[in-house]
Amino acid sequence: MKPNSGTLVINIMNGGKAEAYEGVYQCTARNERGAAISNNIVIRPSRSPLWTKEKLEPNQVREGDSLVLHCRPPVGLPPPIIFWMDNAFQRLPQSERVSQGLNGDLYFSNVQPEDTREDYICYARFNHTQTIQQKQPISVKVLSMDSLNDTIAANLSDTDIYGAKPVTERQPVLLTPTGSTSTKVELRGNVLLLECIAAGLPTPVIRWIKEGGELPANRTFFENFKKTLKIIDVSEADSGNYKCIARNILGSVHHVISVTVKAAPYWITAPKNLVLSPGEDGTLICRANGNPKPNISWLANGVPIAIAPEDPSRKVDGDTIIFSHVQERSSAVYQCNASNEYGYLLANAFVNVLAEPPRILTPPNKLYQVIADSPALLHCAYFGSPKPEIEWFKGVKGSILRGNEYVFHDNGTLEIPVAQKDSSGTYTCVARNELGKTQNEVQLEVKDPTMIIKQPEYKVIQRYGQVSFECIIKHDSTLLPTVIWLKDNDELPDDERFLIGKDNLTIMNVTDKDDGTYTCIVNTTLDSVSASAVLTVVARPNPPFDLELTGQLERSIELSWIPGDENNSPITNFVIEYEDGLHEPGVWHYQTEVPGTQTTVQLKLSPYVNYSFRVIAVNEIGRSQPSEPSEQYLTKSANPDENPSNVQGIGSEPDNLVITWESLKGFQSNGPGLQYKVSWRQKDVDDEWTSVIVANVSKYIVSGTPTFVPYEIKVQALNDLGYAPEPSEVIGHSGEDLPMVAPGNVQVHVINSTLAKVHWDPVPVKTVRGHLQGYKVYYWKVQSLSRRSRRHVEKKILTFRGNKTFGMLPGLEPYSSYKLNVRVVNGKGEGPASPDKVFKTPEGVPSSPSFLKITNPTLDSLTLEWGSPTHPNGVLISYILKFQPINNTHELGPLVEIRIPANESSMILKNLNYSTRYKFYFNAQTSVGSGSQITEEAVTIMDEAMASRQVDIATQGWFIGLMCAVALLILILLIVCFIRRNKGGKYPVKEKEDAHADPEIQPMKEDDGTFGEYSDAEDHKPLKKGSRTPSDRTVKKEDSDDSLVDYGEGVNGQFNEDGSFIGQYSGKKEKEPAEGNESSEAPSPVNAMNSFV
């Protein structure tokens, strides 16, 4: 026995035989308070005996007969597992015809020639000893009827009648169990196995029923091709008669198995430990049931209570021991034994008589965590004698807890049935009896529940598509959730097509096997939630088949069909199409459609059509392939039922009327010889109808008509059997001609330098000679008033639809002379132009100077050269030059402004500081205002004397060394700046620029209601980026001609109904020079040297 333990170890690894330890063992634990005993423990050595030697005769059996190959394994402990294999250790295939019984025998309901073999081997596997025993091979030879007839013929004379009967079918006969009835006893809670194996040809099918009842649901299973009925966890209610029925086409046979379920003893009430204080009363109850009913016996400290020391405080009453006025000497361990022929139960109960003050066994400050709206159980395990009373408090100075919102359990547990967030806090449990009191605090935290706020949804997907299920969760921030996806309550297939994301599951390239239910399970340490959705893989339906025509009449027929497979997507409707083999063979037309629940339809027919029909099934995925065509059905001829549609009269020339219509389709003719009667007369004139009958065409031309007058027109169909109903009349017009007059009183109102409004009077309606489509305005620039030079005339056109009398002319150039004229437009073309109207646009602001070049730098002067604006847009009155110095710390100095006459193109700027960088801002002005500015930078040269001193110093050795050190330091600083810039850091230069803004361009305050930011995309980029200007210091601006935004209709533009222009104009201007918003390029080496010296 192990030290400090009750475990008994039997070790035979180093010698000894297991048989020597075979027997029944029982453990007894004893101290001064009493003795407890264990259940009986039976030890039996395992056995795996060998098969007995036996001589096995070959089995010869006729084809179709039944056969049983007996295994008869040796008796082992525990019983072996039986299976049949061949010499190659391959399991023999089993089926409804050939199967292994519960006893291990191999049953053939009927043998076939392929059953012939010499290696039917029965194996017995003894799992406990890990050995396999093998029976000698059994030989089976099946005699077919052909070989049997040959054998008989060889042994009989020619005069004998011979020949074995052919294989005949036989009624079922039970191979096991035998007879018509049998019995079976099984214990409660075990697995009930009932078996029926039958012989017969064809192979019988087995069916099971329970007489007078149903087979228990969820516990019934069929095994061994339904030859074995399996019922798990049987109870007394499963007792009864079970019938197996074996049936083939020749008849049936049955067997009734009477099942009785017995029961080893099982507890109803097991005795429980009892703690009593001196003088108290108590009871021990031991109740058990079984079949047959078990006997109850009591022991005290392992001794039958009848011979145990007497105790005046106890009284035995069957399954109950009653204690009255117990004393401390009454403490003992009592055993209850309940037994019948199928087993026994043994339970120990300790009766402890003692006087103890209360003790709380639950650890102090224990933390309980629960989910909101769920029960919270706060434990207060206690001990004491007499039994303590338990009270609960919340908080440090809380009152005692009472009320319906709490449940107080006998074991001291406090239950809060529906915990809320405000239930969190400290709870105190107080236990008291007459010997004292104690208390313990526990903590309760109520967490937010885990929720799936976006659940996976039912999805229908086509094969080879992609589908995604969402599972978005919300959880308590202190809980860590895990998400698991299942398919049909099992793990997802190990397939790379399944992609699990943070909030979703995606299935790529969906196949039919992906059908099923997908479940998202979210687990935390406190709760678990799940949501499921079904995935249905669908496809287009299969085509209908077996089309049939019935109830043939002249104008109707009934069509019926059988639907094809809907492929997981219900058929929503059927589309019926027809083919007219007489007029359009091979062309299928839509006839009608019916709901998907309908498989017959009554079809309306037209005369003189050779019909064939086909049906197409439609579901949500798409249309099926068409069915095979039905048989043909030819209807009789009749008058036309309808006339041509879309009749129109439109002239192609000023003196004709072209009458057109849509001809009837072949089946609409209702008979042979389809023609049309075309009739017309001038409207509002008392004329008779003029008619003509034409062949099956779709156009007729009436010549010699007046220009653009209305006509009444009708077209009627007829065939060899007669006319269609009287047609309705339509109104048409003869041909149009060009308008005769031009619009008059053309006036132009100039709105601003780029926009003008033109007015005109409408022309008389009679002079339009057609459908009025609108007016066209032709306008073009004659010359620029500032240059007095003509250029190539490019006319522009704006079209105004309808009867408009005004329009807007956008995109005009300032300070220019224009001409325009107006023309009326009809369906034939344009009329004559109105006289040219001349108008002029006022001045505008100029564009920026074409270039600014700074040359000839000296100690105190710079030469500036510039080009006039490409688009002066008026008379230039002057140029404005502003400039300011930039010091070595990139700060901008005071701004100086100079006005220059407009006729100048260069100037020398004097009295500048030597070796100083300047920034220049330059723009032109007209009387309207200043134009866009152009910017440039330049540097004056150094003082020659200072330069010579620098040369002298530079020849000194100490200066050369100092310069090398400075260069190295500058290199290090540049590297650091480069790294900071790449990391998004802010340069000191930028900070200084932000601190010194241009006094003339300060950001406006918010309370002014004006803009608070200034930027210039072109002028200021060189300073902000620190890039150099071109080597020739010339900045050229691209020409910026105002583009014409087409406002009219057609090619040139569009107007609103009121003639106003649709769109906006915006122009870009150079900003004013800035002092604080700019950053300069790095100073030149000369400046750096001056700065150092």
Side-chain angles (χ1 to χ4, degrees):
M1 192 164 63
K2 285 186 176 181
N4 303 318
S5 170
T7 302
L8 179 64
V9 178
I10 300 174
N11 189 347
I12 59 172
M13 299 298 294
N14 298 324
K17 293 184 177 180
E19 289 79 2
Y21 298 97
E22 186 172 4
V24 180
Y25 293 77
Q26 190 174 45
C27 173
T28 301
R30 187 184 309 274
N31 63 11
E32 67 274 8
R33 290 284 187 171
I37 60 176
S38 71
N39 285 322
N40 289 340
I41 302 170
V42 180
I43 295 181
R44 298 179 62 187
S46 60
R47 298 180 177 88
S48 53
L50 299 175
W51 242 291
T52 58
K53 295 290 184 179
E54 57 181 330
K55 184 177 181 181
L56 301 177
E57 297 293 336
N59 292 275
Q60 291 192 353
V61 60
R62 291 194 310 170
E63 180 182 356
D65 288 351
S66 62
L67 175 64
V68 179
L69 300 182
H70 298 287
C71 181
R72 300 190 182 98
V75 178
L77 187 68
I81 298 173
I82 306 301
F83 51 93
W84 289 80
M85 302 179 74
D86 58 16
N87 277 332
F89 296 100
Q90 298 297 315
R91 285 187 179 267
L92 296 176
Q94 299 190 21
S95 62
E96 290 184 345
R97 185 177 64 85
V98 182
S99 62
Q100 177 181 315
L102 294 177
N103 62 355
D105 293 346
L106 191 62
Y107 292 86
F108 294 79
S109 295
N110 52 78
V111 296
Q112 302 295 329
E114 61 266 23
D115 296 328
T116 298
R117 62 190 309 155
E118 298 180 351
D119 56 350
Y120 286 93
I121 305 174
C122 180
Y123 288 87
R125 183 172 69 229
F126 298 89
N127 285 343
H128 198 75
T129 60
Q130 297 183 353
T131 58
I132 297 177
Q133 303 294 347
Q134 171 185 336
K135 187 181 179 74
Q136 292 183 358
I138 301 175
S139 174
V140 174
K141 182 176 182 181
V142 179
L143 302 177
S144 64
M145 291 300 100
D146 293 338
S147 62
L148 195 57
N149 285 336
D150 293 341
T151 302
I152 295 173
N155 296 323
L156 296 178
S157 63
D158 293 340
T159 59
D160 293 330
I161 299 176
Y162 66 91
K165 295 181 180 180
V167 177
T168 57
E169 295 177 337
R170 294 180 290 106
Q171 289 187 359
V173 177
L174 286 175
L175 298 176
T176 184
T178 58
S180 60
T181 62
S182 60
T183 61
K184 173 77 172 181
V185 176
E186 191 57 76
L187 291 182
R188 179 179 184 270
N190 286 355
V191 177
L192 174 64
L193 294 174
L194 304 179
E195 180 180 58
C196 272
I197 301 177
L201 188 66
T203 302
V205 176
I206 305 296
R207 186 168 67 92
W208 291 88
I209 61 173
K210 183 180 182 182
E211 294 182 348
E214 298 290 336
L215 295 174
N218 302 326
R219 295 188 294 114
T220 301
F221 304 92
F222 297 100
E223 297 179 347
N224 198 18
F225 309 99
K226 292 192 175 182
K227 299 174 186 179
T228 302
L229 171 65
K230 177 181 179 180
I231 302 177
I232 63 174
D233 193 22
V234 295
S235 64
E236 289 84 345
D238 295 321
S239 297
N241 294 330
Y242 292 81
K243 180 187 287 187
C244 70
I245 304 168
R247 185 186 302 276
N248 67 8
I249 59 176
L250 300 182
S252 64
V253 65
H254 69 270
H255 182 92
V256 177
I257 305 174
S258 179
V259 175
T260 302
V261 178
K262 299 290 186 178
Y266 56 91
W267 289 117
I268 296 176
T269 303
K272 297 180 180 178
N273 294 336
L274 193 60
V275 179
L276 301 173
S277 60
E280 283 189 330
D281 301 336
T283 57
L284 284 181
I285 299 175
C286 177
R287 289 176 186 165
N289 202 358
N291 187 8
K293 190 168 184 64
N295 295 320
I296 304 295
S297 61
W298 289 94
L299 298 89
N301 294 327
V303 177
I305 201 165
I307 63 174
E310 289 189 5
D311 185 350
S313 66
R314 77 173 176 237
K315 178 182 176 181
V316 179
D317 184 11
D319 59 5
T320 304
I321 299 179
I322 302 172
F323 296 94
S324 302
H325 302 288
V326 296
Q327 301 301 318
E328 289 193 21
R329 65 177 180 272
S330 300
S331 295
V333 179
Y334 291 85
Q335 290 83 33
C336 174
N337 186 308
S339 60
N340 65 10
E341 59 187 284
Y342 297 107
Y344 79 98
L345 295 173
L346 179 68
N348 292 277
F350 179 35
V351 177
N352 192 7
V353 181
L354 77 163
E356 287 285 340
R359 285 185 288 160
I360 295 179
L361 307 179
T362 301
N365 294 316
K366 184 173 182 180
L367 175 63
Y368 294 91
Q369 294 179 327
V370 297
I371 295 298
D373 298 325
S374 63
L377 296 174
L378 308 183
H379 299 300
C380 181
Y382 63 90
F383 180 77
S385 182
K387 180 180 179 181
E389 294 181 358
I390 301 298
E391 292 178 331
W392 282 92
F393 299 85
K394 182 181 180 184
V396 178
K397 297 182 180 180
S399 59
I400 186 171
L401 298 181
R402 293 188 179 90
N404 296 330
E405 64 267 28
Y406 301 104
V407 177
F408 301 94
H409 293 272
D410 291 340
N411 63 355
T413 297
L414 169 65
E415 179 180 353
I416 307 175
V418 183
Q420 301 296 332
K421 293 288 285 186
D422 58 4
S423 301
S424 300
T426 301
Y427 289 79
T428 303
C429 165
V430 177
R432 60 165 56 89
N433 65 11
E434 59 190 38
L435 300 179
K437 80 168 187 176
T438 186
Q439 67 180 38
N440 185 36
E441 291 183 352
V442 296
Q443 307 295 324
L444 174 62
E445 290 182 358
V446 181
K447 307 289 188 180
D448 290 325
T450 304
M451 296 184 293
I452 300 178
I453 59 177
K454 178 65 174 177
Q455 299 187 356
E457 298 177 348
Y458 171 74
K459 294 293 180 71
V460 177
I461 189 68
Q462 296 188 47
R463 278 194 292 255
Y464 312 119
Q466 175 179 325
V467 67
S468 181
F469 291 106
E470 286 188 293
C471 185
I472 301 176
I473 63 174
K474 178 182 179 182
H475 61 90
D476 192 284
S477 59
T478 62
L479 299 177
L480 182 62
T482 59
V483 180
I484 301 173
W485 285 91
L486 302 179
K487 178 182 182 295
D488 296 330
N489 294 324
D490 202 353
E491 293 183 358
L492 291 178
D494 186 12
D495 193 328
E496 61 183 9
R497 297 182 300 109
F498 290 79
L499 306 177
I500 299 178
K502 177 184 177 184
D503 298 322
N504 57 36
L505 167 66
T506 302
I507 308 174
M508 314 288 290
N509 196 23
V510 173
T511 63
D512 289 336
K513 66 180 181 181
D514 297 329
D515 255 342
T517 301
Y518 290 84
T519 304
C520 167
I521 301 177
V522 184
N523 295 317
T524 69
T525 55
L526 298 181
D527 62 348
S528 177
V529 292
S530 64
S532 299
V534 175
L535 173 63
T536 302
V537 181
V538 296
R540 296 185 300 170
N542 293 346
F545 56 94
D546 284 354
L547 272 64
E548 183 179 4
L549 296 176
T550 56
Q552 290 89 343
L553 300 175
E554 288 188 4
R555 291 294 184 103
S556 69
I557 197 169
E558 186 175 272
L559 172 66
S560 61
W561 61 90
I562 298 176
D565 192 337
E566 61 186 20
N567 291 329
N568 283 340
S569 181
I571 295 175
T572 57
N573 57 293
F574 293 99
V575 178
I576 293 89
E577 297 180 339
Y578 71 90
E579 176 195 29
D580 182 1
L582 190 63
H583 302 96
E584 294 179 293
V587 179
W588 290 90
H589 301 276
Y590 172 84
Q591 171 85 8
T592 187
E593 59 184 82
V594 296
T597 57
Q598 188 173 328
T599 57
T600 61
V601 63
Q602 194 77 19
L603 300 174
K604 293 182 179 180
L605 305 179
S606 297
Y608 196 53
V609 177
N610 191 15
Y611 281 100
S612 289
F613 298 98
R614 70 182 186 184
V615 183
I616 299 171
V618 181
N619 63 12
E620 290 186 357
I621 310 308
R623 297 161 62 101
S624 71
Q625 293 294 320
S627 67
E628 293 295 326
S630 69
E631 59 181 310
Q632 291 186 331
Y633 178 63
L634 179 64
T635 56
K636 296 181 180 180
S637 302
N639 290 8
D641 293 325
E642 52 188 310
N643 288 302
S645 60
N646 196 24
V647 178
Q648 293 181 340
I650 302 174
S652 62
E653 297 294 338
D655 60 350
N656 74 4
L657 172 66
V658 180
I659 302 174
T660 60
W661 61 89
E662 288 187 10
S663 301
L664 298 181
K665 297 180 181 179
F667 75 92
Q668 294 175 311
S669 66
N670 287 3
L674 177 64
Q675 294 178 302
Y676 300 100
K677 180 181 177 181
V678 183
S679 304
W680 67 92
R681 69 179 179 185
Q682 190 170 342
K683 190 176 183 298
D684 301 329
V685 178
D686 192 15
D687 283 349
E688 297 292 330
W689 286 97
T690 302
S691 301
V692 62
I693 294 178
V694 298
N696 187 13
V697 295
S698 60
K699 181 172 71 173
Y700 182 77
I701 300 176
V702 180
S703 302
T705 65
T707 300
F708 197 66
V709 295
Y711 277 86
E712 296 175 319
I713 304 167
K714 58 184 179 179
V715 180
Q716 186 177 24
L718 67 151
N719 62 14
D720 291 348
L721 279 78
Y723 284 87
E726 185 66 22
S728 58
E729 300 173 5
V730 298
I731 303 299
H733 287 81
S734 57
E736 298 180 74
D737 204 348
L738 294 176
M740 299 174 62
V741 300
N745 193 23
V746 177
Q747 301 292 329
V748 178
H749 172 61
V750 178
I751 296 175
N752 56 38
S753 62
T754 60
L755 182 65
K757 185 175 183 179
V758 59
H759 293 262
W760 61 87
D761 291 341
V763 299
V765 175
K766 291 185 178 180
T767 64
V768 177
R769 298 201 296 180
H771 295 287
L772 176 65
Q773 293 186 356
Y775 293 86
K776 285 187 178 181
V777 177
Y778 287 74
Y779 65 102
W780 60 96
K781 179 180 177 180
V782 178
Q783 67 179 12
S784 173
L785 299 178
S786 59
R787 298 181 179 179
R788 303 297 180 182
S789 60
R790 295 181 179 271
R791 65 176 184 177
H792 173 68
V793 176
E794 178 184 353
K795 289 188 177 182
K796 299 176 183 179
I797 305 171
L798 288 177
T799 302
F800 301 92
R801 296 288 181 186
N803 194 22
K804 293 287 183 64
T805 60
F806 66 91
M808 306 297 290
L809 305 182
L812 303 177
E813 293 184 16
Y815 205 53
S816 300
S817 177
Y818 280 88
K819 286 185 179 181
L820 64 78
N821 58 54
V822 184
R823 310 178 192 195
V824 66
V825 182
N826 65 11
K828 188 71 173 180
E830 301 176 4
S834 66
D836 291 347
K837 187 74 174 179
V838 179
F839 66 96
K840 298 178 181 179
T841 56
E843 289 187 77
V845 297
S847 63
S848 61
S850 57
F851 68 88
L852 174 63
K853 185 187 298 184
I854 303 174
T855 58
N856 301 326
T858 65
L859 285 174
D860 60 350
S861 67
L862 292 171
T863 301
L864 279 68
E865 299 178 359
W866 59 87
S868 61
T870 306
H871 300 283
N873 295 336
V875 178
L876 296 181
I877 59 175
S878 65
Y879 291 101
I880 302 298
L881 173 66
K882 299 178 183 180
F883 64 95
Q884 58 190 151
I886 305 173
N887 64 16
N888 295 329
T889 59
H890 307 284
E891 294 177 342
L892 298 176
L895 189 68
V896 179
E897 181 176 329
I898 300 175
R899 185 177 297 273
I900 304 171
N903 58 353
E904 298 290 338
S905 60
S906 65
M907 72 172 293
I908 297 175
L909 196 60
K910 298 181 179 180
N911 299 321
L912 301 177
N913 297 329
Y914 67 89
S915 186
T916 301
R917 177 174 297 278
Y918 287 89
K919 183 168 184 179
F920 298 89
Y921 312 89
F922 194 69
N923 63 327
Q925 276 189 330
T926 64
S927 61
V928 176
S930 298
S932 301
Q933 67 182 9
I934 187 171
T935 64
E936 181 58 282
E937 293 183 16
V939 181
T940 56
I941 65 174
M942 294 193 320
D943 182 27
E944 294 179 0
M946 184 178 294
S948 63
R949 287 201 305 272
Q950 291 171 354
V951 170
D952 294 337
I953 295 174
T955 59
Q956 304 300 314
W958 63 269
F959 182 76
I960 296 174
L962 182 59
M963 287 298 100
C964 291
V966 171
L968 179 60
L969 180 60
I970 291 174
L971 178 61
I972 294 173
L973 291 175
L974 288 176
I975 293 173
V976 172
C977 290
F978 178 76
I979 294 174
R980 288 189 60 191
R981 180 180 180 183
N982 286 343
K983 291 183 177 179
K986 187 172 182 181
Y987 284 102
V989 173
K990 175 63 180 172
E991 296 173 356
K992 293 180 180 180
E993 291 173 358
D994 293 341
H996 299 275
D998 188 338
E1000 295 190 6
I1001 316 175
Q1002 290 293 332
M1004 298 183 180
K1005 297 181 181 178
E1006 293 184 359
D1007 55 8
D1008 294 336
T1010 55
F1011 296 100
E1013 182 178 349
Y1014 173 83
S1015 64
D1016 191 322
E1018 294 177 356
D1019 293 349
H1020 300 163
K1021 280 182 181 178
L1023 287 177
K1024 290 185 179 180
K1025 297 297 183 179
S1027 59
R1028 298 242 177 220
T1029 54
S1031 58
D1032 60 357
R1033 301 210 169 270
T1034 301
V1035 179
K1036 292 188 177 181
K1037 302 283 288 184
E1038 294 185 359
D1039 293 346
S1040 57
D1041 292 340
D1042 289 339
S1043 61
L1044 173 62
V1045 180
D1046 297 334
Y1047 286 77
E1049 295 176 342
V1051 176
N1052 296 86
Q1054 183 176 356
F1055 283 83
N1056 286 330
E1057 290 297 325
D1058 60 355
S1060 61
F1061 175 52
I1062 303 174
Q1064 294 181 356
Y1065 275 90
S1066 63
K1068 297 176 73 173
K1069 289 186 176 183
E1070 291 287 346
K1071 301 295 185 286
E1072 291 298 319
E1075 293 184 28
N1077 278 10
E1078 310 294 338
S1079 63
S1080 169
E1081 63 188 53
S1084 66
V1086 175
N1087 274 343
M1089 187 67 71
N1090 269 338
S1091 202
F1092 175 75
V1093 174

